[in-house]
């Protein structure tokens, strides 16, 4: 990640990221650096097309961007020091005077329960001066935790643009709503998108924290102002405080009944507010959220799971029982919430392992992801994940690779099967197997990793126009 001192985010920047879901930051490369970068991008796109996941090896100087202390510092602040540069990356080219549609990025065409906690982040880097008229990426502040497009009537007023001089980049929560804006100048505009993953749950602040206590940022771009409980919980989670929300508000039957009714509100911001407020209210709140988890309406169940995921140890028994529920979405949401509870989930581990053999693939890959978030795995956990590397469903296989990456050296027994996975037909199964070998880090894992990389090494100078020389 480079040798220069990282420029970690400040408390105010972290507050802004938690509330708005993004930060606009700036590198300090020379104009000559970006001019050279643009020339290479233009050549590659004109003669070879979009290099896709091969963007970094094809344009080698681009690695300097992701070694820059502003970028490494920002990523370390949000994702911890052992963050992963994911194998999926993409260079976006925009030269048309039409806006793209608002969307959340998928996980490479697949689905998963989206984390409110920042387990994932993206960097959107602009290698040319990008004024508003050139079509920078637009983001909708504060929408990273909303499943629906809640801002449909506010988009023109509230949209924020990642515009600025060459070297500007947006650090965004992976799940924020965003789009391309119209390029009214018709000149080439590149945006280089890279994805990053947290490999360890936070145990302490990894930014330049001076103030332990949550407070709102001085400036809020998000139009959704009623989520202070959710924002405070995220701040505490990033500070390494697991379950900090539990039992922090007095509970009475009337307030719990009112919040429970709000779980069905037409406004998603109101619904999420209710779920997080119920998480604060001890036994009565947990019981209401568990009832919501079992609801036949998947949206109510999903929102209740977010509340249960931050309700502390009091929610674990009910979540464990819910793993046997007849509703498939209830099982998925319960497994998700247990993963976020981490070491508090010990009593549920055996059931989560059993779910790795569930007939529904969405249950299997959710259980595989949750087991990778628990920190100290049992031998049975590792054995179960090894079997998942052989699963017929591709999402189970590549989710398992990421989980084994998070387990690190404790997953040493998986090395032989990970070597087999290096020949999988799916590019992300192969990529995640490589990452798992890297994070496991034993001599056997390193030998397998190096051998594969040497066998599949790619020459960045070899193109249809230059097959051998220079």
């Amino acid at each position: 990640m480079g040798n220069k001192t990282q420029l970690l985010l400040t408390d105010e920047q972290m507050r802004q990221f938690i509330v708005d879901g993004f930060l606009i930051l700036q590198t300090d490369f020379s104009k000559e650096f970006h001019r050279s970068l643009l020339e290479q991008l233009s050549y590659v796109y004109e003669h070879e097309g979009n290099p896709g996941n091969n963007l970094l090896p094809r344009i080698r100087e681009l690695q300097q961007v992701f070694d820059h202390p502003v970028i490494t510092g920002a990523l370390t602040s949000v994702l911890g020091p052992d963050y992963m540069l994911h194998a999926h990356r993409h260079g976006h080219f925009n030269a048309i005077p039409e806006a793209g549609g608002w969307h959340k990025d998928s996980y490479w065409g697949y689905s998963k329960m989206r984390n409110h906690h920042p387990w994932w982040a993206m960097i959107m880097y602009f290698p040319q001066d990008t004024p508003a008229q050139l079509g920078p990426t637009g983001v909708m502040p504060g929408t990273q935790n909303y499943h629906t497009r809640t801002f449909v009537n506010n988009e023109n007023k509230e949209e924020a643009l990642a515009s600025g001089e060459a070297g500007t980049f947006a650090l965004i929560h992976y799940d924020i709503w965003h789009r391309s804006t119209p390029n009214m100048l018709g000149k080439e505009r590149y945006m280089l998108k890279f994805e990053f993953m947290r490999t360890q749950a936070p145990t302490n602040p990894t930014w330049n924290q001076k103030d332990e206590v949550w407070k709102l940022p001085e400036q809020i771009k998000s139009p959704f102002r009623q989520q202070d409980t959710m924002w405070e919980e995220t701040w505490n989670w990033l500070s390494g405080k697991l379950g900090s929300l539990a039992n922090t508000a007095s509970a009475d039957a009337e307030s719990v009944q009112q919040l429970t009714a709000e779980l069905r509100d037409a406004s998603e911001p109101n619904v999420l507010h209710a779920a997080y407020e119920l998480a604060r209210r001890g036994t009565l709140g947990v019981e209401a959220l568990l009832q919501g988890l079992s609801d036949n309406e998947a949206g109510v169940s999903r929102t209740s799971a977010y509340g249960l995921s931050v309700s502390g140890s009091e929610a674990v028994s009910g979540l464990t029982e819910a793993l046997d529920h007849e509703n498939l979405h209830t099982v998925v949401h319960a497994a998700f919430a247990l993963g976020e509870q981490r070491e508090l989930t010990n009593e549920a581990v055996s059931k989560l392992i059993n779910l790795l053999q569930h007939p529904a693939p969405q249950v299997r890959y959710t259980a595989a992801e949750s087991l990778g978030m628990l920190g100290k795995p049992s031998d049975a956990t590792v054995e179960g994940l090894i079997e998942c590397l052989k699963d017929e469903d591709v999402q189970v296989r590549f989710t398992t690779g990421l989980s084994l990456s998070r387990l690190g050296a404790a997953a040493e027994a998986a090395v032989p099967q990970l070597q087999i996975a290096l020949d999988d037909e799916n590019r992300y199964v192969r990529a995640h197997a490589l990452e798992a070998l890297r994070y496991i880090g034993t001599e056997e894992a390193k030998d397998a990793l190096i051998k594969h990389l040497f066998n599949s090494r790619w020459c960045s100078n070899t193109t249809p126009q230059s097959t051998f020389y220079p």
Side-chain angles (χ1 to χ4, degrees), residues 200-201 339 342-343 370-378 406-408 410:
Q200 298 295 323
R342 303 202 314 266
E343 59 264 28
S370 292
L371 286 166
M373 297 165 72
L374 301 186
K376 297 180 180 179
S378 65
R406 287 177 170 145
L407 298 183

Side-chain angles (χ1 to χ4, degrees), residues 204-242:
N204 57 271
T206 54
W207 68 96
N208 187 21
Q209 190 184 73
K210 301 295 185 182
D211 188 353
E212 294 184 10
V213 179
W214 165 254
K215 62 182 69 170
L216 292 173
E218 295 177 4
Q219 294 184 343
I220 297 178
K221 297 181 176 66
S222 170
F224 310 106
R225 303 300 177 92
Q226 71 271 54
Q227 302 298 345
D228 196 46
T229 301
M230 179 172 65
W231 296 332
E232 181 177 7
E233 194 282 330
T234 300
W235 170 272
N236 289 336
W237 184 85
L238 285 164
S239 300
K241 300 174 183 177
L242 178 63

Side-chain angles (χ1 to χ4, degrees), residues 49-299:
N50 191 324
N53 290 344
N54 286 328
L55 190 58
L56 268 181
R58 182 64 189 89
I59 302 175
R60 289 177 295 167
E61 289 84 349
L62 191 54
Q63 183 60 49
Q64 296 178 43
V65 171
F66 294 99
D67 289 337
H68 192 282
V70 172
I71 288 185
T72 61
L75 289 167
T76 296
S77 297
V78 170
L79 299 179
D82 295 321
Y83 64 82
M84 177 192 298
L85 169 57
H86 193 268
H88 180 70
R89 61 284 305 255
H90 191 71
H92 289 262
F93 178 81
N94 178 20
I96 61 173
E98 298 177 5
W102 287 103
H103 64 282
K104 289 174 179 272
D105 278 12
S106 72
Y107 290 78
W108 333 295
Y110 299 89
S111 62
K112 70 183 289 293
M113 181 88 168
R114 296 177 184 265
N115 303 90
H116 287 178
H117 294 145
W119 284 94
W120 292 81
M122 283 194 284
I123 293 285
M124 295 181 171
Y125 190 82
F126 295 87
Q128 72 282 299
D129 291 345
T130 311
Q133 298 86 350
L134 194 62
T137 299
V139 297
M140 189 52 60
T143 59
Q144 62 274 15
N145 293 338
Y146 296 132
H147 185 75
T148 57
R149 197 176 135 190
T150 59
F151 53 90
V152 65
N153 296 321
N154 299 318
E155 59 190 59
N156 293 329
K157 180 180 177 182
E158 309 292 352
E159 182 177 12
L161 301 179
S163 60
E165 298 179 352
T168 297
F169 69 97
L171 169 69
I172 70 173
H173 188 294
Y174 189 91
D175 296 327
I176 202 166
W177 285 88
H178 61 281
R179 67 168 182 168
S180 62
T181 61
N183 184 341
M184 305 308 296
L185 300 180
K187 299 178 182 178
E188 61 184 15
R189 188 280 276 164
Y190 293 97
M191 184 274 280
L192 310 179
K193 183 185 76 175
F194 287 75
E195 301 177 0
F196 300 84
M197 188 189 83
R198 173 183 285 278
T199 60
Q200 298 295 323
T203 57
N204 57 271
T206 54
W207 68 96
N208 187 21
Q209 190 184 73
K210 301 295 185 182
D211 188 353
E212 294 184 10
V213 179
W214 165 254
K215 62 182 69 170
L216 292 173
E218 295 177 4
Q219 294 184 343
I220 297 178
K221 297 181 176 66
S222 170
F224 310 106
R225 303 300 177 92
Q226 71 271 54
Q227 302 298 345
D228 196 46
T229 301
M230 179 172 65
W231 296 332
E232 181 177 7
E233 194 282 330
T234 300
W235 170 272
N236 289 336
W237 184 85
L238 285 164
S239 300
K241 300 174 183 177
L242 178 63
S244 64
L245 203 60
N247 295 295
T248 56
S250 59
D252 61 84
E254 183 178 354
S255 66
V256 169
Q257 185 178 13
Q258 181 177 347
L259 289 167
T260 302
E262 289 179 10
L263 291 175
R264 298 181 181 278
D265 196 277
S267 165
E268 189 176 8
N270 292 344
V271 169
L272 271 185
H273 171 75
Y276 277 81
E277 282 297 314
L278 284 169
R280 302 178 61 199
R281 285 166 166 75
T283 301
L284 287 178
V286 167
E287 289 175 352
L289 288 168
L290 286 170
Q291 184 176 0
L293 181 73
S294 300
D295 198 276
N296 289 329
E297 173 56 49

